[in-house]
Amino acid sequence: MRNIFKGSLKGYVCEDCREEISEVEILIYHPYKRTNTAAQAATNEKDDFRFVSKDEIKQRAELLVYKAKTDAKGNFAIEIDERYLDASFDVDFVCGSVPPKHPKPKKNEIVQLHIATISIREELAKQAKDQNYRWEYAIAYKWWCYIRGHFFDAWTICGHLMNCRTNTPIANAKVTAMDADFLTDDNLGTATTDSNGHFRIDYTSADFKKTFLSPWINVETDPNFLSFQSGPDVYFKAELAGTQLIDETKANARKNVGYCLCVNLCSDVNVVNPDDPNFPSAWTGIGNAFSSSYGSSSYDFDADGYAGSGKHVIYSIIRLTGQAALKSASGNPIEYRFRISDTTAPNNTASLAESNFTKIVGVTPGLFYPSIVSKLTRKVYSFILNDIFVYSDQSDFDAEGWFDVNHAIERTLTAVGLTPADLALYNIIEEDTLISLNTTALTTAPNVPGGIKAGQNIPAANKIGLEKFAIRFEIREVINKAANIFGVIGGNGKTLNSVIMNNNPIYRQLSFKELDETSLCSPISGTIHARYTVYHPYLSGCSLHLNNNSHSVERDISDGVINTLPAVDERTNNSSQLNNPPADMTRCTYTLKLYSSTRKHNGDYGDSDGGTPLEQIFFYEA
C-alpha cells in the first residue's frame, strides 16, 4: 500500500481574501535540532513559522528527505517510505514566485520559510478516514503580505463592493484604484467584481512611483510631499455599464497604505436582481436631501412637517425615493402606490388612519409626473441599446393607482424593438425614484396680489396660509389580481403624517423714494433712499447690493431691516439710505439689486425663485 502524504499551501492577503501558493518547492526535512516526537510536532505546527537563514539551509542539507512542487491550486503530494511512517518532519517551502506570477525575488535572494513540524502517521490516518482530506497550511496575512511585498514588490488590494442600504453585493462592476499624488494621480489598476461583489487589484511600486520622467526616474510623489511616505494614497472609482457607483476623490484617500489593502466599498445605487426574494422594499425619502421619517437627524422631518435642519418646505416636482423589488419570493409581481391626505397630524404621533388618504398618485388628476424609475444596462457591451432608461407612464398604473414597474420595463423594451425575454441581457439599476409627485396639484394658497407698492407692508388678508399634507406608501404582492388576492409586503403603510408644502413665489417690489416723488427718468442727487418690500411665509434671507458702472462703489446695504436675524417672513423699508457719509457717491450710473430666497426645496434642489435679483438703475448727479 502506497503512503501518499497530501498537502496544500495557501496564503491570506486579507482576512477574507485567500490565494493558492502555486509552483513553489516544498521541502521535507528530518527535524532540525529537535528530538523526533509527535508532541513537539503538535506544538510547533502552530507557532513555528519563520524565515530560514542561508546558514541554516546549509546545516540542514543532509536532513532533507523529500521535495515536491505545488500545482496551480497550491496542492502537493509526496509518497512516504515505510521506514518514515513514525517520523515527524519539518515542512519548509522555497518561495520563488507569488501570485499572479511576479518575478523572482529582488537580488535573486533565496526565500525559504519553515512552516511547521508534523507527525506523518497522524496525517496519513486522517487521510485514511477521509479521502478528500489534505494537510493544509494557510500563512497569516501579515506574514504573507510582507513576503509578497518585501521580496517580490507585489502589492494587492482586495475588497468588496456592496449596496450601502441592503448590504447586497454588486456584481460585474468595474472598480479602479487610484493613487493620489502631488503631481499626477496614478491608476493602480481596474478589476471587475464577481457575484459576491469581490474584487482584487494587483500592482507594483512602479505603478505609483510614476513621474513625468518615467520610466527613467520613478518616485512616489506624495501629495503630503514633506512627509516622504513610501506607500500609495489610495482612493476608488467604480461604475457599472456607465453608471457611477463610487466616485471618491483625493480627499477620500487612504494614506500610505501597506503591501495589502483590504477595503469594503458601498454604493447608494441599487443594482436590482429581479429574482432576489431578500431585496427589501421601502419608501425612504424625498429626493436625495430628506428622509421620509420623523427624527433628530439633519435630513429628517420634524414634528410640524418641516424638512431637515434648515426647516425647509416642499415644493414643485418631488421624487418619492426608495426601493421596491420586482418580484416576491414566490415569483409574483410587486406593485406599490402613494396616497395623499389633506388631514394631517404631528409626525411624532401614531400614523394617520388609512381612510384619511383620499387622493392617489396616478388617479387624482395632476399628481403624477413621469420620471426615470429604472435603468437597463447591457451585461455585454453593445453599440446600440446599451443603456435603456425606463420612464414611468400613466399606463403603468391601474384604476386604483397601483404602479407596476414590471409593466414599465416590458413596455420600454417593446418600445425600442426588444421583447420582455431580452431583459435577461441587461443589468437592472434602480434609479432610486419610486414615483414623482407634482405638489402644485395639491397646494391652493393664492399668490400675493399685485398693487402693493415698494415700502408698503403686506396686508394680513393677503398673506399666504400654511398648507400641510400627509403621504402614505403602500406595497403588495400580486398573487391573483383577477381574484383580488394579494400578499403583504414589509414596508406597507409607511406614513409621513405632516409635510408642509408651498408653491407661491416671493413677492418683491423695489423703487427709489426720490424718483417716486419726481420722475422715474430724472437724475437724482443728494441723499437717496430705497424702498423695498419682500415677503414669503418661508423667507430664508434677502439683501441689497449697490454698485456703479466703474465699481468704485461696490457694497451691500445694511439698514437694520434687510439683513436682520432671525429670519422673518417680511422685510419692508420705506426709506433705506444708500449713501455712506460723507458723500461717497460720484457722478455715475448705479444699479441696486435686491436678492432674496426661500426655504422651499424639492428634495434635490433648493428654491431658485429668488435666484435672479430684482434690479433698479438710476443716474446719480453729484
Side-chain angles (χ1 to χ4, degrees):
M1 177 181 173
R2 299 175 65 194
N3 301 300
I4 307 297
F5 168 54
K6 295 182 289 185
S8 180
L9 186 58
K10 305 182 187 300
Y12 281 97
V13 176
C14 294
E15 289 184 352
D16 62 347
C17 186
R18 193 174 71 169
E19 64 185 9
E20 292 83 13
I21 303 177
S22 60
E23 298 184 29
V24 298
E25 193 172 42
I26 301 294
L27 305 177
I28 304 294
Y29 292 89
H30 287 301
Y32 177 59
K33 293 182 179 180
R34 295 191 186 96
T35 57
N36 187 7
T37 67
Q40 282 186 327
T43 302
N44 293 328
E45 185 173 352
K46 296 180 179 178
D47 305 319
D48 213 20
F49 186 88
R50 58 184 171 81
F51 287 99
V52 179
S53 68
K54 292 180 181 179
D55 289 341
E56 185 179 335
I57 292 172
K58 292 178 182 179
Q59 294 169 13
R60 296 169 65 198
E62 293 182 355
L63 299 175
L64 183 63
V65 183
Y66 297 110
K67 289 184 179 181
K69 197 169 187 179
T70 59
D71 63 15
K73 294 186 177 180
N75 297 328
F76 64 90
I78 298 172
E79 184 174 355
I80 305 297
D81 191 281
E82 292 280 345
R83 57 186 168 156
Y84 295 133
L85 290 181
D86 290 320
S88 292
F89 283 130
D90 283 348
V91 183
D92 289 18
F93 81 100
V94 177
C95 193
S97 179
V98 295
K101 300 302 294 180
H102 279 266
K104 291 182 178 180
K106 296 177 285 186
K107 300 179 182 180
N108 290 319
E109 297 178 69
I110 297 175
V111 184
Q112 182 168 327
L113 300 112
H114 173 66
I115 301 175
T117 301
I118 62 171
S119 166
I120 285 296
R121 184 170 293 280
E122 287 184 8
E123 293 302 322
L124 292 177
K126 293 175 183 177
Q127 291 177 184
K129 290 181 179 179
D130 181 358
Q131 292 182 349
N132 295 319
Y133 173 80
R134 282 182 178 273
W135 174 81
E136 181 177 293
Y137 192 91
I139 303 174
Y141 75 95
K142 290 184 179 179
W143 272 106
W144 187 232
C145 285
Y146 175 77
I147 294 167
R148 290 171 49 84
H150 179 75
F151 292 102
F152 298 91
D153 191 28
W155 300 64
T156 302
I157 298 169
C158 266
H160 290 87
L161 176 60
M162 315 294 281
N163 177 269
C164 296
R165 289 176 291 183
T166 66
N167 203 37
T168 53
I170 300 176
N172 302 315
K174 290 183 178 179
V175 180
T176 299
M178 301 293 296
D179 169 38
D181 266 358
F182 178 67
L183 298 177
T184 303
D185 289 1
D186 302 316
N187 186 326
L188 300 179
T190 299
T192 301
T193 57
D194 63 16
S195 59
N196 297 313
H198 181 265
F199 66 92
R200 172 172 170 161
I201 296 172
D202 290 282
Y203 61 104
T204 70
S205 61
D207 293 313
F208 61 86
K209 292 182 178 179
K210 296 173 185 177
T211 72
F212 64 95
L213 294 176
S214 293
W216 301 282
I217 298 177
N218 293 329
V219 64
E220 169 64 348
T221 52
D222 198 300
N224 301 310
F225 61 94
L226 293 179
S227 64
F228 299 103
Q229 302 289 352
S230 59
D233 297 336
V234 181
Y235 65 95
F236 293 92
K237 307 283 185 181
E239 61 94 14
L240 178 62
T243 296
Q244 195 78 36
L245 303 178
I246 302 289
D247 191 19
E248 293 184 346
T249 65
K250 290 183 179 183
N252 307 113
R254 298 140 186 89
K255 301 295 184 181
N256 190 35
V257 305
Y259 296 126
C260 297
L261 173 61
C262 313
V263 294
N264 288 311
L265 305 176
C266 83
S267 172
D268 288 322
V269 177
N270 279 328
V271 182
V272 180
N273 178 358
D275 299 318
D276 182 7
N278 298 313
F279 186 81
S281 300
W283 168 40
T284 59
I286 294 179
N288 289 316
F290 307 125
S291 144
S292 57
S293 300
Y294 163 74
S296 58
S297 174
S298 61
Y299 54 88
D300 288 336
F301 280 78
D302 67 12
D304 294 324
Y306 290 103
S309 55
K311 288 193 172 294
H312 294 282
V313 297
I314 302 302
Y315 88 117
S316 189
I317 309 297
I318 62 173
R319 297 186 306 114
L320 300 170
T321 55
Q323 57 197 32
L326 301 183
K327 298 177 181 179
S328 66
S330 55
N332 295 318
I334 287 178
E335 298 176 334
Y336 57 84
R337 68 178 178 178
F338 285 91
R339 299 167 68 191
I340 311 296
S341 169
D342 294 319
T343 301
T344 64
N347 284 320
N348 58 350
T349 60
S351 296
L352 286 164
E354 181 269 342
S355 58
N356 289 292
F357 294 84
T358 57
K359 297 177 181 177
I360 307 174
V361 180
V363 177
T364 304
L367 292 183
F368 166 66
Y369 190 87
S371 56
I372 298 173
V373 293
S374 190
K375 177 184 176 183
L376 309 180
T377 60
R378 193 135 181 140
K379 293 176 180 177
V380 178
Y381 180 80
S382 171
F383 289 105
I384 60 171
L385 300 179
N386 197 57
D387 293 324
I388 303 174
F389 291 93
V390 179
Y391 283 83
S392 55
D393 184 83
Q394 185 63 55
S395 64
D396 301 322
F397 294 87
D398 68 10
E400 295 178 330
W402 291 100
F403 179 79
D404 185 354
V405 71
N406 298 282
H407 181 273
I409 291 173
E410 292 177 3
R411 172 182 52 77
T412 301
L413 288 171
T414 303
V416 298
L418 299 175
T419 69
D422 292 315
L423 181 61
L425 302 175
Y426 289 85
N427 287 309
I428 305 173
I429 297 179
E430 187 187 83
E431 288 293 305
D432 208 32
T433 304
L434 294 168
I435 289 296
S436 287
L437 166 66
N438 183 4
T439 67
T440 62
L442 294 172
T443 55
T444 59
N447 297 332
V448 175
I452 301 172
K453 296 181 179 180
Q456 293 181 344
N457 292 321
I458 304 297
N462 297 129
K463 291 197 171 185
I464 299 167
L466 178 75
E467 293 188 277
K468 289 186 181 184
F469 303 89
I471 305 175
R472 176 184 170 90
F473 174 67
E474 298 173 344
I475 188 166
R476 68 185 185 182
E477 175 190 8
V478 182
I479 298 173
N480 187 329
K481 198 161 188 174
N484 206 33
I485 301 174
F486 304 99
V488 177
I489 298 291
N492 179 59
K494 170 67 181 293
T495 301
L496 196 53
N497 280 345
S498 184
V499 180
I500 299 175
M501 299 184 185
N502 178 273
N503 284 289
N504 301 98
I506 301 175
Y507 188 84
R508 301 184 299 178
Q509 294 291 330
L510 177 64
S511 67
F512 301 102
K513 179 180 179 181
E514 286 70 27
L515 290 178
D516 289 343
E517 294 173 351
T518 56
S519 168
L520 295 178
C521 297
S522 302
I524 52 179
S525 60
T527 303
I528 57 175
H529 302 83
R531 289 173 168 169
Y532 58 83
T533 295
V534 184
Y535 167 75
H536 193 274
Y538 309 107
L539 190 64
S540 175
C542 53
S543 63
L544 278 174
H545 184 81
L546 178 70
N547 68 272
N548 59 11
N549 280 2
S550 66
H551 294 281
S552 61
V553 173
E554 182 91 38
R555 64 169 179 264
D556 290 330
I557 304 301
S558 297
D559 59 8
V561 176
I562 192 72
N563 52 358
T564 54
L565 292 174
V568 292
D569 62 1
E570 183 177 2
R571 307 285 174 82
T572 302
N573 197 331
N574 192 46
S575 185
S576 177
Q577 183 174 321
L578 302 182
N579 311 64
N580 271 342
D584 69 329
M585 294 177 62
T586 59
R587 186 176 186 270
C588 195
T589 300
Y590 287 78
T591 301
L592 183 65
K593 297 178 181 178
L594 174 61
Y595 294 90
S596 56
S597 61
T598 71
R599 305 198 311 273
K600 293 189 295 184
H601 204 293
N602 70 357
D604 291 303
Y605 305 101
D607 176 27
S608 60
D609 179 45
T612 302
L614 187 61
E615 296 186 14
Q616 289 288 348
I617 299 174
F618 65 95
F619 185 81
Y620 186 77
E621 187 73 70

